[in-house]
């Protein structure tokens, strides 16, 4: 039962351009959403989050947008840097547990 | 402060065996969650413990179990191992386990032959 879906397993962008990673969810009870980044041989690390009462949260080069009616959120990275190359996981929480998507592998080419 | 520590980092088992993985959360964190990561499946939630009690459980068979000790350290056990249990098992801790940021360990990579 995939309540959180990341339909793009991979994404490749040129350095300096925008990276847009997408995530869809099915459970309307989710009220908090997070993005995690994972490098090989390391555990995921928290990147940015957004509460369901907001539709946008920005932190430096990273912005997360939430469209509750569409049950969709996206992560924008501008400008993309080679060091951003990693697997990005979308996560959603309803105060009971946190569900993760399958991840999107982002490759930023120099 | 020290991060989440998982042991062992790597292990190889054969079908039918059992395995125990350990997780030491960040000091002061009382919630520990376990996730299974496999290619294409992302992070699948196993269970969450808070103050020695299992608070939430994912859709895994009863072969997967866990516990938490009074010092918040947690163990998970997988009995009668199957080839499909080969995965990276990640432990994450948080202060309360409520909505918010999880802090992950580096994981224990289990290979079942």
């Amino acid at each position: 039962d995939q309540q959180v879906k990341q339909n793009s397993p991979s994404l490749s962008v040129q350095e300096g351009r925008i990276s847009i990673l997408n995530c869809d969810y099915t459970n309307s009870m989710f009220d908090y959403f997070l993005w995690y980044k994972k490098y090989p041989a390391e555990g995921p690390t928290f990147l940015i989050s957004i509460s369901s009462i907001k539709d946008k949260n920005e932190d430096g080069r990273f912005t997360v947008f939430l469209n509750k009616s569409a049950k969709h959120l996206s992560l924008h990275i501008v400008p993309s840097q080679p060091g951003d190359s990693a697997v990005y996981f979308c996560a959603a929480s309803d105060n009971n547990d946190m569900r993760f998507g399958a991840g999107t592998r982002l490759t930023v080419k120099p | 402060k020290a991060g989440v520590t998982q042991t062992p980092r790597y292990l190889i088992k054969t079908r039918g065996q059992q395995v125990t993985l350990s997780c030491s959360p960040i000091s002061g964190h009382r919630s520990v969650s376990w996730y299974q990561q496999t290619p294409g499946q992302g992070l699948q939630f196993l269970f969450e413990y808070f103050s020695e009690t299992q608070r939430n459980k994912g859709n895994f068979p009863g072969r997967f179990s866990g516990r938490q000790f009074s010092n918040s350290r947690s163990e998970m056990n997988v009995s009668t191992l199957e080839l499909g249990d080969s995965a990276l098992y990640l432990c994450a801790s948080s202060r309360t386990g409520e909505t918010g940021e999880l802090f992950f360990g580096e994981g224990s990579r289990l290979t079942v032959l």
Side-chain angles (χ1 to χ4, degrees), chain A residues 32-103:
Chain A
Y32 199 70
F33 305 88
L34 309 90
W35 285 94
Y36 285 81
K37 181 168 72 172
K38 185 180 186 299
Y39 292 117
E42 295 183 10
T45 55
F46 170 76
L47 188 58
I48 193 170
S49 64
I50 188 168
S51 165
S52 60
I53 62 173
K54 294 185 175 181
D55 55 18
K56 177 183 174 181
N57 187 26
E58 192 172 351
D59 183 3
R61 297 185 297 114
F62 302 90
T63 303
V64 56
F65 295 91
L66 175 63
N67 182 334
K68 282 185 293 182
S69 61
K71 293 190 179 67
H72 176 84
L73 67 156
S74 60
L75 174 67
H76 293 209
I77 306 174
V78 180
S80 301
Q81 299 174 354
D84 296 330
S85 297
V87 176
Y88 289 77
F89 290 98
C90 166
S93 171
D94 62 357
N95 264 349
N96 286 321
D97 56 59
M98 193 172 295
R99 303 284 173 163
F100 286 79

Side-chain angles (χ1 to χ4, degrees), chain B residues 24-85:
Chain B
S24 293
I26 292 172
S27 178
H29 285 192
R30 296 168 63 190
S31 168
V32 174
S33 301
W34 288 90
Y35 291 85
Q36 180 195 65
Q37 184 189 4
T38 53
Q41 291 296 314
L43 298 171
Q44 301 287 316
F45 173 72
L46 280 154
F47 27 64
E48 186 235 350
Y49 287 87
F50 182 82
S51 294
E52 302 178 66
T53 300
Q54 187 181 87
R55 198 158 61 171
N56 291 300
K57 190 177 189 303
N59 296 323
F60 277 80
R63 300 186 296 109
F64 292 80
S65 63
R67 59 177 175 169
Q68 187 180 33
F69 302 95
S70 58
N71 60 358
S72 292
R73 190 178 70 85
S74 177
E75 289 181 348
M76 69 161 280
N77 183 278
V78 188
S79 62
T80 320
L81 283 167
E82 301 176 358
L83 296 179
D85 297 332

